[in-house]
Amino acid sequence: MLNYKNLSEQDGEVMAIVQRETVRQVEEMELIASENYVSKAILEAMATVLTNKYSEGFPGHRYYGGNQFVDEVETIAVERAKKLFSAEHVNVQPLSGSPANAAVYMAFLKPGDKVLGLRLDHGGHLSHGHPVNFSGMLYDFTQYEVDITTGQINMEKVREIALREKPKMIVAGYSAYSREIEWQKFKEIADEVGAFTFADIAHTAGLIAAREMNNPTPIFDVVSTTTHKTLRGPRGAMIMCKEQFAKQVDRAVFPGMQGGPHDHITAAKAVCFGEALQPGFKIYAKQVIANAKLMAEEFIKLGYKIISGGTDNHLMVVDMTSKGLSGKEAEIILDKCGISVSRSTIPNDPNPPMNPSGVRFGTPAITTRGMKQEEIKKIVVWINAAIEQREEPEMLENIKKQVKNMCLEFPIPSI
Ligand SMILES: *Cc1c(COP(=O)(O)O)cnc(C)c1O
């Protein structure tokens, strides 16, 4: 762990909270699909004096003096990201996934333009056209869905909608979808109707970087991703695109959307991309997927329904209604056992979004701790026991103890 000597001396109130959160992370199990643990090196990069700098502009073209070293670190981040995703152009300045998507839309569209995106309750993201989000307010989104029987995206249906709506852009890439995406088919449909192709790989970027899932970057016009999910870097995002769109994408990020980049986070992104280029990261990504596949199989054996029937990536959405409870109730019960999960809608969910029918499980964080097949089997047994015997407080207490013991055996890398 970093030495927090000054923080504890100066502000015990904040330090005490950080300490409690540290203990929570150490002793509890993280199955939220969008979370992960950064390395010590990444944590240190985020805690550098680069946070003191203003650097509006891009390497070699800044609106402030004294940027020679920030230029160097941003250039390294860009070059590593290009290599990692076989990208022609990369902008590493977006502050997070949603602002990155705002910049992508700004770069390619005018307010009111027609766009296709997956419905939120079918696995899409708020920033893919939901009415409460800027994307749904500013652009004219039509939402496509997953097939109700297969739980998968039906490309013929997507094509029908595209031919009917004639969108200017098609968005693919999701937050709660467990299957490989047919990037090439999306591209063919987009070409047929003259639409731009936008892949949002926020969730799967690490698996794609490791080439354990198909990479849309060489196929699509523009790709956005967060850096803090399976990619296992600092909280942030980036945009990759074909060289021909480089200028408009850069201009949309700055001055379009943002002011100064967060240079300490840029440094941490560079370290993250460096880690992801190492052979060990491929082993990690393979294990994330193997763990998720096994977890889905074990759930199915116990009678749980998985949306789409399984997983090709790091996550799965489990329909809890067959066990007589909602996703929110399952989330609360598992919280009592020291297991963090996120409730999730299922396609055409009869229940409201605050109390949906599903739970989303993910393996990126526990795989970073080093958990493998043997642990996955135990974890699913505990989850099932907690759900089936949810009325028995001693049972939940007992599971919490076992969860804690396992977590203590698998330390978090930065602690
Ligand atoms: C997580 C996610 C985002 C948003 O990222 P934030 O950093 O939370 O703004 C965007 N798109 C998809 C598909 C995501 O899963």
Side-chain angles (χ1 to χ4, degrees):
M1 205 157 114
L2 297 183
N3 174 357
Y4 293 103
K5 180 167 162 288
N6 298 288
L7 180 57
S8 20
E9 279 171 16
Q10 183 183 316
D11 196 329
E13 204 178 352
V14 169
M15 187 64 223
I17 297 169
V18 172
Q19 241 146 10
R20 287 200 294 275
E21 171 62 10
T22 305
V23 171
R24 189 193 71 81
Q25 291 191 15
V26 167
E27 295 185 350
E28 298 194 357
M29 188 166 290
E30 193 54 72
L31 295 179
I32 293 176
S34 51
E35 295 189 16
N36 214 328
Y37 305 110
V38 297
S39 68
K40 280 185 183 138
I42 290 173
L43 205 58
E44 286 177 5
M46 284 191 275
T48 57
V49 293
L50 274 75
T51 193
N52 297 335
K53 196 70 199 95
Y54 242 110
S55 323
E56 285 181 358
F58 294 96
H61 309 273
R62 304 284 189 184
Y63 292 84
Y64 291 78
N67 271 305
Q68 56 272 42
F69 305 117
V70 166
D71 278 6
E72 284 181 30
V73 87
E74 186 169 331
T75 302
I76 289 176
V78 166
E79 290 310 316
R80 288 179 183 172
K82 280 185 182 172
K83 202 164 155 194
L84 201 51
F85 290 94
S86 310
E88 289 180 14
H89 178 77
V90 180
N91 185 312
V92 296
Q93 295 188 4
L95 304 177
S96 214
S98 293
N101 291 353
V104 168
Y105 297 137
M106 192 186 285
F108 288 86
L109 305 170
K110 286 196 283 298
D113 276 349
K114 173 83 70 178
V115 192
L116 296 194
L118 182 66
R119 268 175 62 165
L120 179 70
D121 56 345
H122 283 232
H125 188 260
L126 279 169
S127 62
H128 296 183
H130 195 277
V132 303
N133 184 265
F134 76 90
S135 54
M137 295 175 192
L138 289 180
Y139 304 99
D140 181 13
F141 268 86
T142 296
Q143 309 263 258
Y144 56 94
E145 304 181 346
V146 299
D147 186 287
I148 277 307
T149 47
T150 63
Q152 303 200 26
I153 291 164
N154 177 336
M155 294 309 292
E156 267 318 301
K157 281 266 168 60
V158 173
R159 181 165 176 269
E160 269 171 38
I161 297 171
L163 289 174
R164 189 183 72 219
E165 301 288 336
K166 300 261 184 312
K168 257 197 99 175
M169 172 181 271
I170 300 180
V171 188
Y174 318 107
S175 300
Y177 185 70
S178 57
R179 294 304 185 173
E180 187 63 86
I181 296 164
E182 296 180 82
W183 304 114
Q184 191 57 48
K185 282 223 178 106
F186 269 107
K187 173 68 175 156
E188 284 162 22
I189 293 166
D191 284 347
E192 209 178 338
V193 300
F196 293 116
T197 42
F198 169 27
D200 177 351
I201 58 169
H203 259 268
T204 48
L207 312 177
I208 290 169
R211 298 300 187 269
E212 291 299 314
M213 291 192 80
N214 296 328
N215 182 12
T217 318
I219 304 169
F220 270 43
D221 296 318
V222 60
V223 178
S224 75
T225 182
T226 60
T227 47
H228 50 269
K229 297 180 184 175
T230 52
L231 199 49
R232 210 164 63 178
R235 202 148 282 277
M238 66 173 158
I239 301 173
M240 302 174 272
C241 66
K242 299 283 181 206
E243 193 56 47
Q244 67 186 112
F245 304 118
K247 275 224 168 67
Q248 70 200 64
V249 164
D250 283 350
R251 266 202 297 262
V253 173
F254 173 83
M257 260 301 293
Q258 299 183 177
H262 294 183
D263 299 317
H264 58 309
I265 300 296
T266 303
K269 286 172 182 171
V271 177
C272 156
F273 304 150
E275 288 178 4
L277 285 164
Q278 300 301 314
F281 195 78
K282 191 173 174 67
I283 298 168
Y284 165 68
K286 263 188 201 298
Q287 190 67 49
V288 167
I289 296 172
N291 283 352
K293 280 187 188 295
L294 179 65
M295 184 177 278
E297 282 164 22
E298 296 294 302
F299 273 127
I300 290 166
K301 273 192 219 159
L302 291 167
Y304 290 82
K305 181 174 174 242
I306 312 264
I307 305 305
S308 88
T311 183
D312 300 329
N313 58 24
H314 62 299
L315 68 81
M316 67 212 69
V317 177
V318 180
D319 180 354
M320 286 292 164
T321 53
S322 61
K323 297 287 171 179
L325 75 172
S326 73
K328 183 183 171 187
E329 286 164 327
E331 181 190 303
I332 292 167
I333 289 157
L334 293 175
D335 238 343
K336 289 183 187 162
C337 303
I339 298 175
S340 295
V341 297
S342 45
R343 74 191 79 159
S344 172
T345 52
I346 58 170
N348 291 6
D349 205 320
N351 291 315
M354 271 314 286
N355 188 20
S357 303
V359 170
R360 190 184 64 172
F361 293 90
T363 54
I366 55 170
T367 307
T368 292
R369 289 183 99 141
M371 294 179 189
K372 295 194 169 76
Q373 279 81 344
E374 194 186 325
E375 288 74 35
I376 297 291
K377 286 186 180 171
K378 287 186 192 159
I379 292 166
V380 175
V381 167
W382 292 334
I383 291 171
N384 181 53
I387 282 166
E388 300 223 310
Q389 295 169 65
R390 55 188 177 272
E391 310 295 349
E392 295 167 41
E394 288 133 59
M395 185 64 185
L396 302 183
E397 231 358 89
N398 181 13
I399 294 169
K400 189 180 173 127
K401 277 197 202 110
Q402 298 186 70
V403 165
K404 181 175 162 183
N405 285 340
M406 181 183 281
C407 286
L408 293 177
E409 269 180 60
F410 294 90
I412 294 169
S414 59
I415 301 176

